[in-house]
């Protein structure tokens, strides 16, 4: 192809071979490092949007480094000799062309014929014919670039898409300049055209995975907000005193609290509840479901509604626990991790209770504490559906009942709780007792959320 130099633009001297070799060495070392990190990234779960986005970026970075390596090698070695470079090499994706305006003809390199998928034996297309290869929506862009170059002597730097004879679409990046005569008139135009289809696909994958990651994060934020709203519906803001609807009774002083997990993010199936029943009794419950997230929080709200409904219907704790277990057995998830359900009858100070795999309620009286006797028949007949036993205890004025979920202390933390009996005896209210528990067990590093319900018999 003829030289594209004018008298005003002397030939640029090629860079020193040593300096280019140094750049090539740096690029290849960086390629090795990026490829190693990319291989490690392939172990990331493919279902993770952030992992897919990271891998797409690694692939794009490596693709660009490979192009840079080939460009520097071409800069060092000069134009490739015939025959043309292998079909899949970088050099085969870079072609050149010159359009002679005076003779109205064109000269294309073999690589450009390959990029456009045309037979090298056919004549090169003139500037007027070139748009016939371009997608309709990209033709105005090409026309503007060529017009600006020929009329205003502006350099060309832009992209457009071409359709090959086989129907394939390629994205081509074109860079070029006008060749001027002594009077400043345009005599020809030359250009370098590069097939950037693979690069744009990599960039498109990065954009798509990034958008997917953003949607995933937005969805996670929405789900977390929903989970918080659902959990706040199940767990009133606390810790603090708990007042029953309609003023409740004057026989129990109640306080509830929640101690969050170390991450502060394990929203899920924990609850505590106190409900005044139509016959004057009080229903107390505490428990948790397996799992976390908005789905489990929603199931917890549903479970609490069912528990309250059965309690309002007069169902005793043992039967209530049995039906509650059957309700959850009808679904795949979640599973009842544990629960304690109590009914307190104030006229006789009778506490009736049942439990499912949860810490036994603790009773504190006159500065000492003990576990309540475990009901017989817990989880009998598990092959056909659990059947729960029921126990009773008679309370006295000043007694303190403490219910808690398993996450309060690791292992069997009952001795630590029983050691608080003297402090509970000196406390004035249920809320004071709850504050003591929160101070004693509020250490960081908790694996799971924990709920506490304190009830003091006032008369």
């Amino acid at each position: 192809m003829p030289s594209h130099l004018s008298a005003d633009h002397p030939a640029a001297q090629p860079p020193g071979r040593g300096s280019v070799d140094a750049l090539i060495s740096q690029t290849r070392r960086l390629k090795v490092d990026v490829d190693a990190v990319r291989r490690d990234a392939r172990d990331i779960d493919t279902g993770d949007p952030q992992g897919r986005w990271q891998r797409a970026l690694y692939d794009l970075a490596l693709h660009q480094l490979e192009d840079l390596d080939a460009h520097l090698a071409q800069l060092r070695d000069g134009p490739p000799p015939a025959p043309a470079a292998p079909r899949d090499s970088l050099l085969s994706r870079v072609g050149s062309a010159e359009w002679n305006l005076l003779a109205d003809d064109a000269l294309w390199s073999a690589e450009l014929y390959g990029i456009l998928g045309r037979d090298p034996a056919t004549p090169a297309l003139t500037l007027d014919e070139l748009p016939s290869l371009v997608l309709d929506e990209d033709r105005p862009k090409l026309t503007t670039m060529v017009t600006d170059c020929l009329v205003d002597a502006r350099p060309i730097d832009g992209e457009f898409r071409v359709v090959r004879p086989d129907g394939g679409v390629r994205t081509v990046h074109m860079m070029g300049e006008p060749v001027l005569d002594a009077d400043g008139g345009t005599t020809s135009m030359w250009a370098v055209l590069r097939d950037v289809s693979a690069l744009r696909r990599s960039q498109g994958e990065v954009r798509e995975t990034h958008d997917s990651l953003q949607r995933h994060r937005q969805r996670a934020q929405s789900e977390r907000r929903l989970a918080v709203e659902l959990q706040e519906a199940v767990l009133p803001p606390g810790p603090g005193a708990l007042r029953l609807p309609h003023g409740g009774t004057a026989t129990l002083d109640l306080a509830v609290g929640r101690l969050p997990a170390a991450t502060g993010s394990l929203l899920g199936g924990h609850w505590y509840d106190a409900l005044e029943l139509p016959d004057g009794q009080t229903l107390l419950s505490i428990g948790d479901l397996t799992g976390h997230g908005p789905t489990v929080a929603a199931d917890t709200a549903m479970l609490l509604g069912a528990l309250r409904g059965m309690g309002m219907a007069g169902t005793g704790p043992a039967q209530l626990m049995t039906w509650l277990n059957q309700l959850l057995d009808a679904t795949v998830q979640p599973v009842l991790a544990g629960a304690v359900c109590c009914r307190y009858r104030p006229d006789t100070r009778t506490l009736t209770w049942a439990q499912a795999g949860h810490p036994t309620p603790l009773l504190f009286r006159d500065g000492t504490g003990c576990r309540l006797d475990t009901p017989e028949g817990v989880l009998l007949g598990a092959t056909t559906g659990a059947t729960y036993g029921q126990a009773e205890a008679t309370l006295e004025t000043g007694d303190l009942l403490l219910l808690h979920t398993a996450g309060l202390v690791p292992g069997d933390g009952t001795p630590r709780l029983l050691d608080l009996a003297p402090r509970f005896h000196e406390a004035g209210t249920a809320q004071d007792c709850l504050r003591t528990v929160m101070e004693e067990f509020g250490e960081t590093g908790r694996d799971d959320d924990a709920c506490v319900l304190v009830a003091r018999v006032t008369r």
Side-chain angles (χ1 to χ4, degrees):
M1 179 174 292
S3 172
H4 308 135
L5 303 175
S6 70
D8 296 329
H9 295 82
Q13 295 300 314
R17 186 178 182 89
S19 60
V20 176
D21 281 335
L23 290 174
I24 291 174
S25 297
Q26 293 175 16
T27 301
R28 291 177 179 175
R29 285 196 299 270
L30 186 55
K31 280 171 55 181
V32 172
D33 293 341
V34 172
D35 191 40
V37 177
R38 183 182 67 158
R39 287 196 300 270
D40 292 340
R42 291 192 182 280
D43 295 333
I44 300 175
D45 181 12
T46 56
D48 176 20
Q50 183 165 349
R52 291 197 302 270
W53 172 66
Q54 289 175 345
R55 285 196 301 275
L57 279 176
Y58 286 133
D59 291 342
L60 176 60
L62 190 61
H63 185 95
Q64 291 174 323
L65 285 172
E66 289 172 347
D67 282 1
L68 177 60
D69 184 12
H71 282 312
L72 291 173
Q74 185 181 12
L75 182 64
R76 178 193 61 191
D77 301 334
R87 179 178 178 183
D88 293 331
S89 72
L90 171 69
L91 299 182
S92 69
R93 300 197 300 270
V94 180
S96 59
E98 182 172 0
W99 287 273
N100 190 318
L101 303 182
L102 301 180
D104 195 24
D105 62 7
L107 179 63
W108 288 1
S109 69
E111 293 79 14
L112 183 55
Y113 276 98
I115 292 172
L116 300 179
R118 295 181 64 81
D119 184 356
T122 61
L125 299 183
T126 66
L127 283 177
D128 290 335
E129 297 169 331
L130 184 62
S132 64
L133 304 180
V134 180
L135 286 179
D136 291 344
E137 53 266 38
D138 289 356
R139 288 179 185 174
K141 184 190 305 182
L142 174 62
T143 300
T144 299
M145 288 191 299
V146 171
T147 300
D148 289 345
C149 180
L150 299 180
V151 176
D152 299 325
R154 295 181 184 176
I156 289 178
D157 187 355
E159 292 184 7
F160 51 88
R161 291 166 295 172
V162 297
V163 181
R164 293 159 55 97
D166 61 5
V169 177
R170 297 293 180 89
T171 302
V172 176
H173 188 175
M174 180 168 153
M175 298 183 67
E177 292 182 357
V179 179
L180 307 179
D181 59 19
D183 298 325
T186 303
T187 60
S188 63
M189 187 186 83
W190 66 271
V192 174
L193 296 95
R194 178 185 173 202
D195 184 351
V196 294
S197 304
L199 180 62
R200 295 298 175 257
R201 282 195 297 270
S202 294
Q203 292 172 333
E205 184 176 353
V206 170
R207 287 193 298 271
E208 290 174 4
T209 54
H210 178 266
D211 291 344
S212 175
L213 175 61
Q214 291 297 100
R215 291 193 297 271
H216 175 77
R217 287 175 173 172
Q218 292 171 358
R219 183 167 59 251
Q221 291 173 353
S222 298
E223 290 176 349
R224 177 167 177 77
R225 284 195 297 269
L226 175 60
V228 171
E229 292 171 358
L230 288 170
Q231 189 156 22
E232 287 178 349
V234 175
L235 302 182
L242 181 64
R243 290 181 172 82
L244 296 175
H246 312 300
T249 66
T251 59
L252 289 179
D253 176 20
L254 300 172
V256 291
R258 168 179 170 267
L259 289 82
T263 61
S265 61
L266 295 179
L267 297 175
H270 298 76
W271 84 87
Y272 47 68
D273 190 45
L275 177 68
E276 182 185 5
L277 301 176
D279 59 3
Q281 298 187 55
T282 302
L283 179 68
L284 305 175
S285 67
I286 193 168
D288 60 330
L289 303 177
T290 58
H292 297 90
T295 301
V296 177
D299 289 333
T300 305
M302 176 273 295
L303 177 147
L304 186 56
L307 188 150
R308 288 178 170 182
M310 289 185 286
M312 293 290 285
T315 307
Q319 186 62 63
L320 191 151
M321 294 297 298
T322 300
W323 286 347
L324 193 63
N325 189 66
Q326 292 175 358
L327 175 65
L328 292 173
D329 280 348
T331 62
V332 177
Q333 290 291 342
V335 176
L336 183 64
V340 175
C341 181
C342 309
R343 286 178 74 102
Y344 177 67
R345 182 173 177 176
D347 57 347
T348 60
R349 299 196 189 94
T350 301
L351 181 75
T352 306
W353 66 284
Q355 72 176 127
H358 233 275
T360 303
L362 303 181
L363 177 63
F364 296 86
R365 176 181 294 169
D366 297 330
T368 61
C370 66
R371 289 188 180 96
L372 293 181
D373 294 332
T374 302
E376 296 182 358
V378 174
L379 291 177
L380 294 179
T383 57
T384 57
T387 301
Y388 296 92
Q390 185 169 286
E392 286 189 0
T394 301
L395 305 184
E396 298 179 3
T397 300
D399 282 355
L400 182 77
L401 183 69
L402 191 149
L403 311 179
H404 67 92
T405 57
L408 181 62
V409 284
D412 183 8
T414 300
R416 286 182 62 189
L417 283 165
L418 295 178
D419 288 343
L420 299 178
R423 297 172 62 181
F424 289 161
H425 183 62
E426 295 175 358
T429 64
Q431 188 170 354
D432 293 335
C433 296
L434 174 66
R435 188 177 299 110
T436 299
V437 175
M438 303 292 278
E439 292 172 353
E440 182 70 20
F441 297 96
E443 67 273 7
T444 59
R446 189 180 313 282
D447 292 332
D448 203 355
D449 293 358
C451 292
V452 182
L453 187 153
V454 177
R456 180 185 287 277
V457 180
T458 57
R459 63 178 174 84

